[in-house]
Amino acid sequence: MTDRYVYCNGRAHEATSSVGAGKQPSSTAAMKPQSVTNRHMNWLIHALYSRKHFVQCGKLIDRQLAICYDKEYLYYMKGLLLREENNATEATQCFQQAIALNRKEPENYKELAKTLYSMGKFKNALEVFLKAETLLERPDHEIYHHIGELYYKNFGQPKAGRGEAKEYLKQAITCGKHVASYKILAEIYIEEGDSIKAIEMIESCLQFTTIDVALMTQIGILYLKINEYQRAFEKLLDATATDSKHTSALLALGSILQSKNDIDGALNKYKRMSNLPEESSEVWSNIGLCFFKKQKFIAGISCLKKAAWISPLNFNALYNLGLVLVTAQQYVSAFQTLAAAISLRPEHAECYMLLGTCLRHLNDPGNAYLSLEKSTMLPDAIKNPLIYLNFALYCYEVGKSDQSVLHLSNFLEMTQHITVHREYLKMAERLNTALAMSARSHNLPVPETQRRPGDPDATEKDHQEADETLAASSEPKSGERRGAEDRSGTDGDLC
């Protein structure tokens, strides 16, 4: 008796042959040469399949199924062949027949699960992948990856989720360098807000994969989030060097240049975008801000209106349009635009501040006061000290000096931690001087302003001149990629 093993498609198949001299074979023994023939054909079946000679491969499999009793490998290969031909239903039946013949072979379960996955039956696929995992004798990155991916997509048990997904995906990348596993891990870390870990995953991925413009763009945007502007710029330049018209990379590069006040450079990047799918609203919004900074209000308003028309629910476009309209003193249009923006984000403090400015100029002092007061009461107010300065100015204008003193104090306290433009400090000094003069006859407390080297002496100026600068205190919202909801192209110190 001689034992042989035929290795096909990573699976070992035992082949036995009997050599009996002078013996008449029994009816059972007479079938063995046919089985040996089948096993000797496995290599040819696998070779035909690997070379994509699917017609010849299918015919050989059908012939062997008709004459052999050892059919596990044949059903397995027929399942692969049918799946390649987009006949997933019959492929599933073949893998189930292979499993019925050998319930301890994880490859049968894995290919059945992959077929179910391709059919969109994710919960069933996960159950079969988990069964295949229990039969593994050595790690298999495909099984770990698919289990992790399905857990990430919430197709597992209620207790399984992002944590389970990370563990399986980590096992998958320990078995080898696989791009898909790194990408999903990076997405998980991005959702968790761990940009550093996400960057680590993408950097590892870029080391062994071919040039991937999408990954280079994604890592560039992640470097932006952790304020690594130089590295972000380098990655995005690499992306545009590979694909000179990649929309997301050009948008991010333009946002960086725009934030550095390189308006012409930013406009040059935006002009290179040929195809503008969903990103087009953010692009037109940024272009509008560029014209706004160049004091070309009509062009800026036109671009921002186009951004709002493309995406009526784009908060950044609505907010920026409202800001430019206020600056251009088109208060009725600004009021309508800002009201729409507030309906999208009712907790946005700067929108209420600009809305209050519109109402003041529309001769509605009561609602103007309520709007400005609302802006100081929202959580976002602590991010922008100018909100308190604006309300302090308005309170002084309407004769509420005690509230003006309170909000001016809040502004001065915040300027100890947040840098603001020198012009606003001068404005605060003028207001403080006016309040001091008013308080002398009423014995009211007045906040102390801190004199800085080179500052001129405080002088009282017409409050109307100060009020006209309210709109300039708002920061425009600049989008750097598709779906960016609150990324400002002017992040950093307020100015």
Side-chain angles (χ1 to χ4, degrees), residues 301 305 308 317-341 354-355 358-359 361-362:
I301 290 171
K305 281 186 175 180
L318 291 171
Y319 173 84
N320 292 333
L321 178 58
L323 172 61
V324 178
L325 288 170
V326 169
T327 308
Q329 299 181 3
Q330 298 182 22
Y331 298 113
V332 175
S333 298
F335 173 83
Q336 295 172 343
T337 304
L338 291 167
L354 292 174
L355 192 67
C358 292
L359 290 167
H361 287 278
L362 293 173

PDB file of all heavy atoms in Angstrom, residues 301 305 308 317-341 354-355 358-359 361-362:
ATOM      1  N   ILE A 301     -20.277  86.880  -2.738  1.00  0.00           N
ATOM      2  CA  ILE A 301     -21.682  86.536  -2.508  1.00  0.00           C
ATOM      3  C   ILE A 301     -22.185  85.587  -3.587  1.00  0.00           C
ATOM      4  O   ILE A 301     -22.913  84.625  -3.306  1.00  0.00           O
ATOM      5  CB  ILE A 301     -22.530  87.827  -2.455  1.00  0.00           C
ATOM      6  CG1 ILE A 301     -22.205  88.616  -1.184  1.00  0.00           C
ATOM      7  CG2 ILE A 301     -24.019  87.505  -2.511  1.00  0.00           C
ATOM      8  CD1 ILE A 301     -22.822  89.994  -1.137  1.00  0.00           C
ATOM      9  N   LYS A 305     -23.610  81.938  -2.714  1.00  0.00           N
ATOM     10  CA  LYS A 305     -24.986  81.596  -3.063  1.00  0.00           C
ATOM     11  C   LYS A 305     -25.026  80.311  -3.889  1.00  0.00           C
ATOM     12  O   LYS A 305     -25.940  79.493  -3.728  1.00  0.00           O
ATOM     13  CB  LYS A 305     -25.628  82.738  -3.836  1.00  0.00           C
ATOM     14  CG  LYS A 305     -26.095  83.888  -2.942  1.00  0.00           C
ATOM     15  CD  LYS A 305     -26.860  84.929  -3.741  1.00  0.00           C
ATOM     16  CE  LYS A 305     -27.424  86.012  -2.813  1.00  0.00           C
ATOM     17  NZ  LYS A 305     -28.184  87.045  -3.566  1.00  0.00           N
ATOM     18  N   ALA A 308     -24.613  77.458  -1.463  1.00  0.00           N
ATOM     19  CA  ALA A 308     -25.857  77.192  -0.733  1.00  0.00           C
ATOM     20  C   ALA A 308     -26.910  76.572  -1.643  1.00  0.00           C
ATOM     21  O   ALA A 308     -27.723  75.756  -1.196  1.00  0.00           O
ATOM     22  CB  ALA A 308     -26.374  78.489  -0.118  1.00  0.00           C
ATOM     23  N   ALA A 317     -21.652  76.962   4.285  1.00  0.00           N
ATOM     24  CA  ALA A 317     -21.985  77.865   3.184  1.00  0.00           C
ATOM     25  C   ALA A 317     -22.985  78.932   3.634  1.00  0.00           C
ATOM     26  O   ALA A 317     -22.841  80.117   3.303  1.00  0.00           O
ATOM     27  CB  ALA A 317     -22.551  77.059   2.015  1.00  0.00           C
ATOM     28  N   LEU A 318     -23.984  78.526   4.399  1.00  0.00           N
ATOM     29  CA  LEU A 318     -24.986  79.485   4.875  1.00  0.00           C
ATOM     30  C   LEU A 318     -24.375  80.501   5.835  1.00  0.00           C
ATOM     31  O   LEU A 318     -24.645  81.705   5.754  1.00  0.00           O
ATOM     32  CB  LEU A 318     -26.136  78.739   5.553  1.00  0.00           C
ATOM     33  CG  LEU A 318     -27.030  77.898   4.632  1.00  0.00           C
ATOM     34  CD1 LEU A 318     -27.985  77.059   5.453  1.00  0.00           C
ATOM     35  CD2 LEU A 318     -27.793  78.781   3.660  1.00  0.00           C
ATOM     36  N   TYR A 319     -23.545  80.006   6.754  1.00  0.00           N
ATOM     37  CA  TYR A 319     -22.923  80.916   7.721  1.00  0.00           C
ATOM     38  C   TYR A 319     -22.022  81.926   7.013  1.00  0.00           C
ATOM     39  O   TYR A 319     -22.071  83.129   7.282  1.00  0.00           O
ATOM     40  CB  TYR A 319     -22.123  80.111   8.733  1.00  0.00           C
ATOM     41  CG  TYR A 319     -21.297  80.964   9.677  1.00  0.00           C
ATOM     42  CD1 TYR A 319     -21.854  81.509  10.820  1.00  0.00           C
ATOM     43  CD2 TYR A 319     -19.963  81.243   9.399  1.00  0.00           C
ATOM     44  CE1 TYR A 319     -21.113  82.311  11.676  1.00  0.00           C
ATOM     45  CE2 TYR A 319     -19.209  82.038  10.243  1.00  0.00           C
ATOM     46  CZ  TYR A 319     -19.795  82.562  11.382  1.00  0.00           C
ATOM     47  OH  TYR A 319     -19.049  83.359  12.211  1.00  0.00           O
ATOM     48  N   ASN A 320     -21.182  81.434   6.098  1.00  0.00           N
ATOM     49  CA  ASN A 320     -20.269  82.330   5.381  1.00  0.00           C
ATOM     50  C   ASN A 320     -21.032  83.346   4.531  1.00  0.00           C
ATOM     51  O   ASN A 320     -20.653  84.520   4.453  1.00  0.00           O
ATOM     52  CB  ASN A 320     -19.324  81.516   4.492  1.00  0.00           C
ATOM     53  CG  ASN A 320     -18.342  80.692   5.310  1.00  0.00           C
ATOM     54  OD1 ASN A 320     -18.012  81.043   6.428  1.00  0.00           O
ATOM     55  ND2 ASN A 320     -17.890  79.580   4.746  1.00  0.00           N
ATOM     56  N   LEU A 321     -22.110  82.886   3.892  1.00  0.00           N
ATOM     57  CA  LEU A 321     -22.919  83.814   3.100  1.00  0.00           C
ATOM     58  C   LEU A 321     -23.535  84.892   3.991  1.00  0.00           C
ATOM     59  O   LEU A 321     -23.531  86.080   3.643  1.00  0.00           O
ATOM     60  CB  LEU A 321     -24.013  83.040   2.364  1.00  0.00           C
ATOM     61  CG  LEU A 321     -24.992  83.874   1.517  1.00  0.00           C
ATOM     62  CD1 LEU A 321     -24.237  84.687   0.471  1.00  0.00           C
ATOM     63  CD2 LEU A 321     -26.025  82.968   0.858  1.00  0.00           C
ATOM     64  N   GLY A 322     -24.033  84.484   5.160  1.00  0.00           N
ATOM     65  CA  GLY A 322     -24.580  85.466   6.088  1.00  0.00           C
ATOM     66  C   GLY A 322     -23.533  86.469   6.542  1.00  0.00           C
ATOM     67  O   GLY A 322     -23.804  87.676   6.631  1.00  0.00           O
ATOM     68  N   LEU A 323     -22.317  86.000   6.812  1.00  0.00           N
ATOM     69  CA  LEU A 323     -21.235  86.882   7.243  1.00  0.00           C
ATOM     70  C   LEU A 323     -20.898  87.918   6.167  1.00  0.00           C
ATOM     71  O   LEU A 323     -20.759  89.114   6.455  1.00  0.00           O
ATOM     72  CB  LEU A 323     -20.002  86.041   7.571  1.00  0.00           C
ATOM     73  CG  LEU A 323     -18.697  86.785   7.863  1.00  0.00           C
ATOM     74  CD1 LEU A 323     -18.849  87.681   9.078  1.00  0.00           C
ATOM     75  CD2 LEU A 323     -17.552  85.804   8.062  1.00  0.00           C
ATOM     76  N   VAL A 324     -20.788  87.456   4.917  1.00  0.00           N
ATOM     77  CA  VAL A 324     -20.439  88.380   3.833  1.00  0.00           C
ATOM     78  C   VAL A 324     -21.579  89.370   3.588  1.00  0.00           C
ATOM     79  O   VAL A 324     -21.336  90.556   3.331  1.00  0.00           O
ATOM     80  CB  VAL A 324     -20.102  87.596   2.552  1.00  0.00           C
ATOM     81  CG1 VAL A 324     -19.788  88.545   1.406  1.00  0.00           C
ATOM     82  CG2 VAL A 324     -18.913  86.669   2.790  1.00  0.00           C
ATOM     83  N   LEU A 325     -22.807  88.899   3.678  1.00  0.00           N
ATOM     84  CA  LEU A 325     -23.945  89.798   3.483  1.00  0.00           C
ATOM     85  C   LEU A 325     -24.009  90.873   4.562  1.00  0.00           C
ATOM     86  O   LEU A 325     -24.339  92.033   4.288  1.00  0.00           O
ATOM     87  CB  LEU A 325     -25.246  88.992   3.457  1.00  0.00           C
ATOM     88  CG  LEU A 325     -25.482  88.139   2.199  1.00  0.00           C
ATOM     89  CD1 LEU A 325     -26.663  87.200   2.399  1.00  0.00           C
ATOM     90  CD2 LEU A 325     -25.695  89.021   0.971  1.00  0.00           C
ATOM     91  N   VAL A 326     -23.689  90.493   5.809  1.00  0.00           N
ATOM     92  CA  VAL A 326     -23.653  91.491   6.888  1.00  0.00           C
ATOM     93  C   VAL A 326     -22.562  92.517   6.596  1.00  0.00           C
ATOM     94  O   VAL A 326     -22.760  93.732   6.748  1.00  0.00           O
ATOM     95  CB  VAL A 326     -23.418  90.816   8.251  1.00  0.00           C
ATOM     96  CG1 VAL A 326     -23.106  91.862   9.331  1.00  0.00           C
ATOM     97  CG2 VAL A 326     -24.635  90.001   8.660  1.00  0.00           C
ATOM     98  N   THR A 327     -21.391  92.045   6.173  1.00  0.00           N
ATOM     99  CA  THR A 327     -20.286  92.958   5.863  1.00  0.00           C
ATOM    100  C   THR A 327     -20.650  93.884   4.712  1.00  0.00           C
ATOM    101  O   THR A 327     -20.260  95.061   4.696  1.00  0.00           O
ATOM    102  CB  THR A 327     -19.024  92.157   5.517  1.00  0.00           C
ATOM    103  OG1 THR A 327     -18.761  91.203   6.555  1.00  0.00           O
ATOM    104  CG2 THR A 327     -17.820  93.067   5.379  1.00  0.00           C
ATOM    105  N   ALA A 328     -21.414  93.363   3.734  1.00  0.00           N
ATOM    106  CA  ALA A 328     -21.832  94.169   2.596  1.00  0.00           C
ATOM    107  C   ALA A 328     -23.072  95.005   2.904  1.00  0.00           C
ATOM    108  O   ALA A 328     -23.603  95.666   2.010  1.00  0.00           O
ATOM    109  CB  ALA A 328     -22.106  93.265   1.398  1.00  0.00           C
ATOM    110  N   GLN A 329     -23.543  94.953   4.172  1.00  0.00           N
ATOM    111  CA  GLN A 329     -24.680  95.738   4.655  1.00  0.00           C
ATOM    112  C   GLN A 329     -25.981  95.382   3.935  1.00  0.00           C
ATOM    113  O   GLN A 329     -26.875  96.214   3.803  1.00  0.00           O
ATOM    114  CB  GLN A 329     -24.393  97.239   4.528  1.00  0.00           C
ATOM    115  CG  GLN A 329     -23.188  97.687   5.344  1.00  0.00           C
ATOM    116  CD  GLN A 329     -22.918  99.173   5.251  1.00  0.00           C
ATOM    117  OE1 GLN A 329     -23.665  99.915   4.612  1.00  0.00           O
ATOM    118  NE2 GLN A 329     -21.856  99.621   5.901  1.00  0.00           N
ATOM    119  N   GLN A 330     -26.100  94.120   3.509  1.00  0.00           N
ATOM    120  CA  GLN A 330     -27.361  93.629   2.945  1.00  0.00           C
ATOM    121  C   GLN A 330     -28.083  92.866   4.058  1.00  0.00           C
ATOM    122  O   GLN A 330     -28.118  91.640   4.091  1.00  0.00           O
ATOM    123  CB  GLN A 330     -27.099  92.741   1.726  1.00  0.00           C
ATOM    124  CG  GLN A 330     -26.406  93.463   0.580  1.00  0.00           C
ATOM    125  CD  GLN A 330     -26.208  92.579  -0.634  1.00  0.00           C
ATOM    126  OE1 GLN A 330     -26.901  91.585  -0.820  1.00  0.00           O
ATOM    127  NE2 GLN A 330     -25.256  92.941  -1.479  1.00  0.00           N
ATOM    128  N   TYR A 331     -28.672  93.621   4.986  1.00  0.00           N
ATOM    129  CA  TYR A 331     -29.115  93.042   6.253  1.00  0.00           C
ATOM    130  C   TYR A 331     -30.349  92.155   6.110  1.00  0.00           C
ATOM    131  O   TYR A 331     -30.480  91.170   6.847  1.00  0.00           O
ATOM    132  CB  TYR A 331     -29.373  94.159   7.261  1.00  0.00           C
ATOM    133  CG  TYR A 331     -28.135  94.959   7.574  1.00  0.00           C
ATOM    134  CD1 TYR A 331     -28.031  96.291   7.202  1.00  0.00           C
ATOM    135  CD2 TYR A 331     -27.048  94.367   8.212  1.00  0.00           C
ATOM    136  CE1 TYR A 331     -26.889  97.028   7.470  1.00  0.00           C
ATOM    137  CE2 TYR A 331     -25.901  95.094   8.487  1.00  0.00           C
ATOM    138  CZ  TYR A 331     -25.824  96.426   8.102  1.00  0.00           C
ATOM    139  OH  TYR A 331     -24.683  97.148   8.369  1.00  0.00           O
ATOM    140  N   VAL A 332     -31.245  92.459   5.186  1.00  0.00           N
ATOM    141  CA  VAL A 332     -32.434  91.617   5.023  1.00  0.00           C
ATOM    142  C   VAL A 332     -32.039  90.230   4.524  1.00  0.00           C
ATOM    143  O   VAL A 332     -32.457  89.201   5.066  1.00  0.00           O
ATOM    144  CB  VAL A 332     -33.437  92.277   4.062  1.00  0.00           C
ATOM    145  CG1 VAL A 332     -34.622  91.337   3.797  1.00  0.00           C
ATOM    146  CG2 VAL A 332     -33.933  93.602   4.620  1.00  0.00           C
ATOM    147  N   SER A 333     -31.213  90.183   3.478  1.00  0.00           N
ATOM    148  CA  SER A 333     -30.741  88.882   2.962  1.00  0.00           C
ATOM    149  C   SER A 333     -29.911  88.153   4.009  1.00  0.00           C
ATOM    150  O   SER A 333     -30.008  86.925   4.146  1.00  0.00           O
ATOM    151  CB  SER A 333     -29.909  89.095   1.696  1.00  0.00           C
ATOM    152  OG  SER A 333     -30.686  89.683   0.674  1.00  0.00           O
ATOM    153  N   ALA A 334     -29.095  88.899   4.751  1.00  0.00           N
ATOM    154  CA  ALA A 334     -28.274  88.280   5.800  1.00  0.00           C
ATOM    155  C   ALA A 334     -29.151  87.663   6.875  1.00  0.00           C
ATOM    156  O   ALA A 334     -28.876  86.560   7.368  1.00  0.00           O
ATOM    157  CB  ALA A 334     -27.339  89.316   6.407  1.00  0.00           C
ATOM    158  N   PHE A 335     -30.242  88.373   7.250  1.00  0.00           N
ATOM    159  CA  PHE A 335     -31.148  87.842   8.280  1.00  0.00           C
ATOM    160  C   PHE A 335     -31.751  86.516   7.833  1.00  0.00           C
ATOM    161  O   PHE A 335     -31.783  85.541   8.592  1.00  0.00           O
ATOM    162  CB  PHE A 335     -32.254  88.864   8.573  1.00  0.00           C
ATOM    163  CG  PHE A 335     -33.315  88.339   9.502  1.00  0.00           C
ATOM    164  CD1 PHE A 335     -33.123  88.357  10.872  1.00  0.00           C
ATOM    165  CD2 PHE A 335     -34.498  87.813   9.002  1.00  0.00           C
ATOM    166  CE1 PHE A 335     -34.093  87.861  11.730  1.00  0.00           C
ATOM    167  CE2 PHE A 335     -35.469  87.312   9.847  1.00  0.00           C
ATOM    168  CZ  PHE A 335     -35.269  87.338  11.223  1.00  0.00           C
ATOM    169  N   GLN A 336     -32.225  86.440   6.587  1.00  0.00           N
ATOM    170  CA  GLN A 336     -32.832  85.208   6.098  1.00  0.00           C
ATOM    171  C   GLN A 336     -31.819  84.061   6.058  1.00  0.00           C
ATOM    172  O   GLN A 336     -32.125  82.925   6.424  1.00  0.00           O
ATOM    173  CB  GLN A 336     -33.414  85.453   4.705  1.00  0.00           C
ATOM    174  CG  GLN A 336     -34.559  86.450   4.690  1.00  0.00           C
ATOM    175  CD  GLN A 336     -34.992  86.820   3.291  1.00  0.00           C
ATOM    176  OE1 GLN A 336     -34.255  86.590   2.321  1.00  0.00           O
ATOM    177  NE2 GLN A 336     -36.182  87.400   3.160  1.00  0.00           N
ATOM    178  N   THR A 337     -30.618  84.373   5.624  1.00  0.00           N
ATOM    179  CA  THR A 337     -29.582  83.327   5.522  1.00  0.00           C
ATOM    180  C   THR A 337     -29.166  82.833   6.903  1.00  0.00           C
ATOM    181  O   THR A 337     -29.023  81.619   7.129  1.00  0.00           O
ATOM    182  CB  THR A 337     -28.361  83.873   4.769  1.00  0.00           C
ATOM    183  OG1 THR A 337     -28.770  84.355   3.487  1.00  0.00           O
ATOM    184  CG2 THR A 337     -27.316  82.783   4.584  1.00  0.00           C
ATOM    185  N   LEU A 338     -28.961  83.742   7.835  1.00  0.00           N
ATOM    186  CA  LEU A 338     -28.539  83.356   9.175  1.00  0.00           C
ATOM    187  C   LEU A 338     -29.638  82.604   9.913  1.00  0.00           C
ATOM    188  O   LEU A 338     -29.361  81.692  10.703  1.00  0.00           O
ATOM    189  CB  LEU A 338     -28.114  84.593   9.966  1.00  0.00           C
ATOM    190  CG  LEU A 338     -26.825  85.255   9.486  1.00  0.00           C
ATOM    191  CD1 LEU A 338     -26.657  86.632  10.112  1.00  0.00           C
ATOM    192  CD2 LEU A 338     -25.619  84.376   9.810  1.00  0.00           C
ATOM    193  N   ALA A 339     -30.896  82.963   9.664  1.00  0.00           N
ATOM    194  CA  ALA A 339     -31.998  82.213  10.273  1.00  0.00           C
ATOM    195  C   ALA A 339     -32.002  80.767   9.787  1.00  0.00           C
ATOM    196  O   ALA A 339     -32.244  79.833  10.565  1.00  0.00           O
ATOM    197  CB  ALA A 339     -33.327  82.891   9.948  1.00  0.00           C
ATOM    198  N   ALA A 340     -31.703  80.567   8.492  1.00  0.00           N
ATOM    199  CA  ALA A 340     -31.609  79.206   7.960  1.00  0.00           C
ATOM    200  C   ALA A 340     -30.439  78.452   8.587  1.00  0.00           C
ATOM    201  O   ALA A 340     -30.547  77.263   8.912  1.00  0.00           O
ATOM    202  CB  ALA A 340     -31.457  79.250   6.440  1.00  0.00           C
ATOM    203  N   ALA A 341     -29.314  79.139   8.783  1.00  0.00           N
ATOM    204  CA  ALA A 341     -28.155  78.501   9.418  1.00  0.00           C
ATOM    205  C   ALA A 341     -28.461  78.107  10.852  1.00  0.00           C
ATOM    206  O   ALA A 341     -28.076  77.020  11.310  1.00  0.00           O
ATOM    207  CB  ALA A 341     -26.954  79.444   9.361  1.00  0.00           C
ATOM    208  N   LEU A 354     -24.320  87.508  14.814  1.00  0.00           N
ATOM    209  CA  LEU A 354     -24.536  88.174  13.528  1.00  0.00           C
ATOM    210  C   LEU A 354     -26.012  88.490  13.316  1.00  0.00           C
ATOM    211  O   LEU A 354     -26.361  89.538  12.748  1.00  0.00           O
ATOM    212  CB  LEU A 354     -24.017  87.295  12.395  1.00  0.00           C
ATOM    213  CG  LEU A 354     -22.493  87.102  12.337  1.00  0.00           C
ATOM    214  CD1 LEU A 354     -22.133  86.097  11.254  1.00  0.00           C
ATOM    215  CD2 LEU A 354     -21.790  88.418  12.079  1.00  0.00           C
ATOM    216  N   LEU A 355     -26.882  87.590  13.773  1.00  0.00           N
ATOM    217  CA  LEU A 355     -28.312  87.842  13.641  1.00  0.00           C
ATOM    218  C   LEU A 355     -28.713  89.081  14.442  1.00  0.00           C
ATOM    219  O   LEU A 355     -29.524  89.900  13.988  1.00  0.00           O
ATOM    220  CB  LEU A 355     -29.100  86.625  14.112  1.00  0.00           C
ATOM    221  CG  LEU A 355     -30.591  86.609  13.790  1.00  0.00           C
ATOM    222  CD1 LEU A 355     -30.815  86.499  12.295  1.00  0.00           C
ATOM    223  CD2 LEU A 355     -31.274  85.452  14.515  1.00  0.00           C
ATOM    224  N   CYS A 358     -27.850  92.125  12.486  1.00  0.00           N
ATOM    225  CA  CYS A 358     -28.848  92.390  11.437  1.00  0.00           C
ATOM    226  C   CYS A 358     -30.083  93.062  12.023  1.00  0.00           C
ATOM    227  O   CYS A 358     -30.587  94.058  11.486  1.00  0.00           O
ATOM    228  CB  CYS A 358     -29.248  91.088  10.753  1.00  0.00           C
ATOM    229  SG  CYS A 358     -27.957  90.330   9.761  1.00  0.00           S
ATOM    230  N   LEU A 359     -30.578  92.529  13.129  1.00  0.00           N
ATOM    231  CA  LEU A 359     -31.807  93.057  13.730  1.00  0.00           C
ATOM    232  C   LEU A 359     -31.614  94.489  14.214  1.00  0.00           C
ATOM    233  O   LEU A 359     -32.547  95.307  14.148  1.00  0.00           O
ATOM    234  CB  LEU A 359     -32.236  92.151  14.893  1.00  0.00           C
ATOM    235  CG  LEU A 359     -32.757  90.765  14.481  1.00  0.00           C
ATOM    236  CD1 LEU A 359     -32.849  89.844  15.687  1.00  0.00           C
ATOM    237  CD2 LEU A 359     -34.107  90.895  13.778  1.00  0.00           C
ATOM    238  N   HIS A 361     -29.736  96.749  12.827  1.00  0.00           N
ATOM    239  CA  HIS A 361     -29.804  97.624  11.667  1.00  0.00           C
ATOM    240  C   HIS A 361     -31.168  97.593  10.998  1.00  0.00           C
ATOM    241  O   HIS A 361     -31.467  98.460  10.168  1.00  0.00           O
ATOM    242  CB  HIS A 361     -28.720  97.250  10.663  1.00  0.00           C
ATOM    243  CG  HIS A 361     -27.342  97.643  11.096  1.00  0.00           C
ATOM    244  ND1 HIS A 361     -26.838  98.908  10.924  1.00  0.00           N
ATOM    245  CD2 HIS A 361     -26.366  96.928  11.713  1.00  0.00           C
ATOM    246  CE1 HIS A 361     -25.613  98.968  11.402  1.00  0.00           C
ATOM    247  NE2 HIS A 361     -25.295  97.766  11.891  1.00  0.00           N
ATOM    248  N   LEU A 362     -31.992  96.610  11.330  1.00  0.00           N
ATOM    249  CA  LEU A 362     -33.356  96.551  10.811  1.00  0.00           C
ATOM    250  C   LEU A 362     -34.350  97.194  11.769  1.00  0.00           C
ATOM    251  O   LEU A 362     -35.563  96.972  11.651  1.00  0.00           O
ATOM    252  CB  LEU A 362     -33.741  95.090  10.530  1.00  0.00           C
ATOM    253  CG  LEU A 362     -32.971  94.399   9.394  1.00  0.00           C
ATOM    254  CD1 LEU A 362     -33.306  92.923   9.328  1.00  0.00           C
ATOM    255  CD2 LEU A 362     -33.244  95.079   8.062  1.00  0.00           C
TER     256      LEU A 362
END
